[in-house]
Amino acid sequence: MAKAIPFFELNTGAKIPSVGLGTGGADPGAVAVADAVTAAIKAGYRHIDCARLYCNEKEVGCALKRLFDNGVVKRGEVWITSKLWCNDHAPEDVPESLEKTLQDLQLDYVDLYLIHWPVSMKKGSEGYKPENLTETNIPATWRAMEALYDSGKARAIGVSNFSSKKLGDLLAVARVPPAVNQVECHPVWQQPKLHEFCQSRGVHLSGYSPLGSPDAGTIKTQVLKNSILNTIAEKLGKSPAQVALRWGLQMGHSVLPKSTNEARIKENLDIFYWSIPEDLFAKLSGIEQERLVKGTVFVHETYGSYKTLDELWDGETSDA
């Protein structure tokens, strides 16, 4: 019988549900995100992935409050992640940023709080103008994150979009090791070396854009149109999205699919009671690799910490 893999255990001992609803990309303030969260919780999701950057935490918070008030689910049964944006990296701004998130989400704590990117921007800046980029000081930001962990307002802390090197550098100075590294991960960008590194250091890898970015890249890089993935989906009688998500669970990482379509929200959760057989699973490692989320806006010759994409990703820019 297939192994269900409903959750993964973090280095804190907490259990993170293996499938979460991504809330990025929904229009800021859109009713759609509140409806998606409601549909997801009612369908059985117990993990919602949020961020200040998405500008919709108020709507997510209203949906959660209704669900809690109506007894659909209890707070302790739902895993909520949020993220610190680049313009709040100064140590004194970190607690204020989480406070704002908690206020918007109408919560006393988040289950996981992440540094969204290893990139720092001027306080109060908006958008991605190069002149907003400043020098990063990850150890100082991390110490402020550790204080939030100590306070109980963030039950676990972690990072996002960190290369193996940046994660290793942080682990070398961290008092509280990051519990999670949330990165782009799907069959077209599998990141085996980063996977291996995270596993060896007890850091859980969580995959955003597990279905790729449907609007980004060429047909070659559109995950759900990949011919190998589609052939396997056909053989198993599953959708390409289900195979891509199940691949993630069998690789050992949590997946965060985004959708505001109720039918797809349900379909994306139907990945527990079947598995991809070993012979077909092996075929997926033959897919040509390309990073879709490149972070180009964080790279500049004059401003910020990274002059090239190679510096941002520490060489993990091609088939990593």
Side-chain angles (χ1 to χ4, degrees):
M1 196 177 133
K3 197 176 169 199
I5 321 178
F7 57 80
F8 294 99
E9 192 165 321
L10 302 184
N11 57 20
T12 60
K15 290 173 177 176
I16 187 169
S18 59
V19 182
L21 179 77
T23 59
D27 295 334
V31 171
V33 76
D35 290 346
V37 168
T38 304
I41 295 290
K42 287 182 175 174
Y45 285 70
R46 292 296 178 263
H47 178 175
I48 308 292
D49 184 74
C50 310
R52 278 298 297 279
L53 174 69
Y54 306 157
C55 299
N56 56 20
E57 289 190 324
K58 268 190 175 158
E59 288 66 35
V60 173
C62 288
L64 289 172
K65 187 173 188 321
R66 272 197 301 273
L67 290 159
F68 298 150
D69 289 351
N70 295 337
V72 176
V73 73
K74 294 187 182 83
R75 168 64 187 103
E77 296 168 336
V78 183
W79 182 281
I80 308 291
T81 296
S82 188
K83 309 178 196 80
L84 175 80
W85 186 236
C86 306
N87 57 7
D88 280 326
H89 273 214
E92 64 275 16
D93 296 333
V94 174
E96 281 178 26
S97 192
L98 177 59
E99 213 48 64
K100 177 81 170 75
T101 277
L102 291 175
Q103 219 177 318
D104 285 351
L105 291 171
Q106 301 185 53
L107 301 175
D108 298 325
Y109 68 91
V110 289
D111 296 274
L112 176 64
Y113 198 47
L114 306 175
I115 295 178
H116 207 150
W117 281 85
V119 172
S120 178
M121 290 174 168
K122 286 177 189 166
K123 182 173 170 57
S125 64
E126 287 181 19
Y128 298 97
K129 289 178 184 162
E131 55 268 31
N132 290 337
L133 294 168
T134 57
E135 286 294 323
T136 57
N137 184 345
I138 297 299
T141 304
W142 189 251
R143 283 192 292 276
M145 296 284 284
E146 290 174 328
L148 298 178
Y149 174 75
D150 294 340
S151 75
K153 288 185 175 182
R155 299 267 173 104
I157 51 176
V159 295
S160 181
N161 298 300
F162 272 49
S163 65
S164 304
K165 183 188 183 303
K166 286 182 178 58
L167 185 58
D169 290 348
L170 176 56
L171 283 162
V173 298
R175 175 174 58 85
V176 179
V180 170
N181 185 14
Q182 189 187 119
V183 296
E184 176 189 358
C185 201
H186 46 70
V188 172
W189 189 242
Q190 301 186 12
Q191 308 224 60
K193 286 177 188 162
L194 181 61
H195 242 293
E196 207 177 301
F197 182 73
C198 286
Q199 214 166 1
S200 73
R201 304 303 297 271
V203 178
H204 174 69
L205 192 141
S206 192
Y208 70 72
S209 296
L211 307 177
S213 305
D215 312 321
T218 59
I219 291 291
K220 178 177 83 69
T221 58
Q222 286 187 13
V223 175
L224 300 183
K225 290 184 179 166
N226 182 273
S227 59
I228 296 174
L229 188 73
N230 276 270
T231 303
I232 292 170
E234 225 166 278
K235 280 187 178 161
L236 296 176
K238 302 294 176 187
S239 72
Q242 288 173 319
V243 173
L245 295 170
R246 180 68 201 186
W247 168 84
L249 298 199
Q250 288 180 222
M251 280 295 290
H253 65 259
S254 50
V255 291
L256 306 165
K258 291 189 283 202
S259 183
T260 51
N261 175 296
E262 195 172 339
R264 275 199 290 274
I265 285 170
K266 287 179 178 170
E267 181 190 287
N268 290 344
L269 194 64
D270 184 13
I271 58 171
F272 293 116
Y273 302 107
W274 56 277
S275 64
I276 306 165
E278 270 177 48
D279 58 329
L280 297 179
F281 193 82
K283 284 186 166 60
L284 290 166
S285 56
I287 291 174
E288 198 177 334
Q289 296 293 290
E290 189 173 331
R291 183 188 285 284
L292 305 183
V293 180
K294 295 188 168 60
T296 315
V297 290
F298 300 127
V299 166
H300 196 268
E301 277 182 19
T302 313
Y303 300 104
S305 292
Y306 314 110
K307 287 181 168 52
T308 63
L309 284 175
D310 225 32
E311 285 181 13
L312 176 63
W313 299 111
D314 299 299
E316 294 174 3
T317 45
S318 56
D319 190 352

